[in-house]
């Protein structure tokens, strides 16, 4: 495995211009100093104070990452002085900063102990931003073994374009073998993507991150309204551990959190950055070949991922920290919502335009062969952040439909109602929205993640 490690050494920062290697043969050895800093950074002292993450339950220091020991190759001398940084405060300060400023800050703070996680999609913008800072940077990628051929070719193109070697992480062969031998190559279509993602993505990522103190992702708030709407530009990683070990030992930077997809594409075009050829075939979000498909105009990009599953389950584990505790439990199948979490939340969807259905009420509704009027019903749990997020639009929908002949209702389906809702009402995760047509007993499930008024109204109008 070859690795591209850009240098943090003082030698590397003494150059005066950014240089690209043109030959891949030149890249077989880690390119210490393959990026040279522009003049404006020539005086930057990378041996400045380290930024320590507030350790929570810190464990003894260890370094069992399979990533190349970049630190041992080229780590700059660092001061022993440790400065504890408040990353929540920093996130606030940087919330209006440009991606370039955020990237610069991240690379400045963490030097050789930070790397960009590159998926082979439009997050190539991160590499471009890193290049523009003039600082050395590292890039790693998870090769799941199931990527599209176009993505592999794109990796190669990116390496050549930027003169880097991507630090690929591979799944454990024994684990993949056990999974595939016992369940076949496409088990994720039957029992969900979590297990395969755990073997092919999450564990390799975990190993990669154990060799770092910070990482940089291309997460954006607009990518998944259900799970990414609160992504900060920088945070203490809520899930993974870094080099120092222990929860809180890793910092996660999301420089494009506040940028929308259109602006990313404008940037890529303006900078003439190479892009994955799958994009021109209708792919927006790109992952593994069996789990990614193109989306239609107007469809949300995440609808092209794991489309056979409920919308809320669409985090592969790499960014599980985006899921709130209750919903994580729900996803793992062990949350029934009738514990402390349920008790602590007041009810939602409170409107006179909405009918509150009891268990008997929804059983009756489901039983009817023909109804006086169609119904739209949300199966919800008040503690669920995705239900909370759609409260405003659902109440607005109810007000718009008042007197129209379509009834709008809610049914609280957590706790002891959950089993019934799963069995009889197609409940997968919260919220589940059902349309009960006038002349059919079978309810129709709303399949999109878009839960704004217009999308819900389009659903109703198509079926009423
Ligand atoms: Fe497996 Fe699909 Fe996850 Fe790739 S995206 S690791 S193929 S489940």
């Amino acid at each position: 495995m070859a690795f591209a490690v850009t240098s943090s050494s003082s030698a590397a920062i003494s150059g005066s211009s950014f240089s690209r290697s043109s030959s891949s043969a030149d890249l077989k050895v880690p390119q210490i100093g393959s990026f040279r800093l522009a003049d404006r950074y020539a005086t930057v002292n990378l041996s400045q104070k380290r930024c320590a993450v507030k350790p929570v339950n810190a464990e003894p220091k260890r370094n069992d990452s399979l990533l190349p020991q970049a630190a041992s190759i080229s780590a700059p001398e660092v001061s022993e002085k440790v400065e504890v940084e408040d990353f929540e405060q920093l996130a606030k300060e940087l919330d209006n900063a440009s991606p370039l400023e955020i990237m610069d800050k991240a690379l400045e703070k963490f030097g050789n102990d930070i790397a960009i996680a590159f998926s082979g999609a439009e997050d190539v913008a991160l590499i471009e931003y890193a290049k523009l800072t003039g600082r050395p940077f590292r890039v790693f990628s998870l090769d799941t073994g199931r990527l599209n051929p176009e993505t592999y070719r794109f990796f190669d193109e990116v390496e050549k374009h930027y003169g880097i070697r991507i630090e690929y992480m591979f799944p454990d062969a024994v684990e993949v073998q056990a999974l595939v031998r016992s369940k076949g190559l496409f088990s994720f279509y039957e029992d969900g993507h979590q297990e395969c993602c755990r073997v092919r993505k999450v564990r390799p990522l975990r190993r990669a991150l154990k060799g770092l103190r910070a990482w940089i992702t291309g997460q954006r708030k607009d990518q998944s309204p259900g799970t990414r709407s609160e992504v900060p530009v920088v945070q203490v990683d809520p899930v993974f551990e870094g080099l120092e070990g222990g929860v809180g030992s890793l910092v996660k930077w999301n420089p494009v959190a506040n940028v929308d997809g259109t602006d990313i594409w404008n940037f890529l075009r303006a900078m003439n950055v190479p892009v994955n050829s799958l994009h021109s075939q209708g792919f927006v979000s790109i992952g593994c070949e069996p789990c990614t498909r193109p989306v239609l105009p107007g469809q949300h990009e995440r609808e092209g991922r794991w489309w056979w599953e409920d919308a809320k389950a669409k985090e592969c584990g790499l960014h599980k920290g985006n899921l709130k505790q209750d919903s994580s439990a729900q996803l793992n199948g062990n949350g029934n919502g009738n514990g402390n979490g349920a008790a602590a939340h007041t009810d939602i969807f409170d409107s006179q335009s909405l009918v509150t259905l009891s268990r008997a009420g929804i059983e009756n509704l489901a039983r009817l062969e023909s109804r006086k009027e169609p119904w739209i019903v949300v199966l919800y749990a008040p503690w669920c952040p995705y239900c909370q997020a759609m409260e405003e639009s659902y109440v607005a929908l109810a007000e718009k439909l008042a007197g129209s002949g379509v009834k709008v209702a809610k049914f609280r389906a957590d706790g002891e109602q959950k089993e019934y809702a799963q069995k009889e009402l197609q409940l997968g995760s919260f919220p589940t929205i059902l349309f009960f047509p006038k002349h059919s007993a079978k309810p129709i499930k709303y399949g999109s993640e878009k839960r704004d008024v217009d999308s819900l109204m389009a659903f109703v109008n198509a079926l009423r």
Side-chain angles (χ1 to χ4, degrees), residues 85 87-99 101-106 109 232-234 253-255 258:
E85 177 127 28
F87 283 95
E88 258 182 53
Q89 180 57 32
L90 186 61
K92 282 182 197 149
E93 287 165 19
L94 291 176
D95 201 43
N96 292 317
S98 69
E101 284 174 272
I102 298 165
M103 179 66 77
D104 191 57
K105 181 69 78 179
K109 279 187 177 294
V233 298
V234 59
W253 292 80
N254 310 301
N258 296 325

Side-chain angles (χ1 to χ4, degrees), residues 326 328-338 383 418 422 430:
D326 284 336
S328 283
Q330 195 70 19
L331 281 184
N332 293 333
N334 55 6
N336 60 15
N338 60 355
W383 45 263
K418 190 176 166 198
Q422 284 175 322
F430 295 114

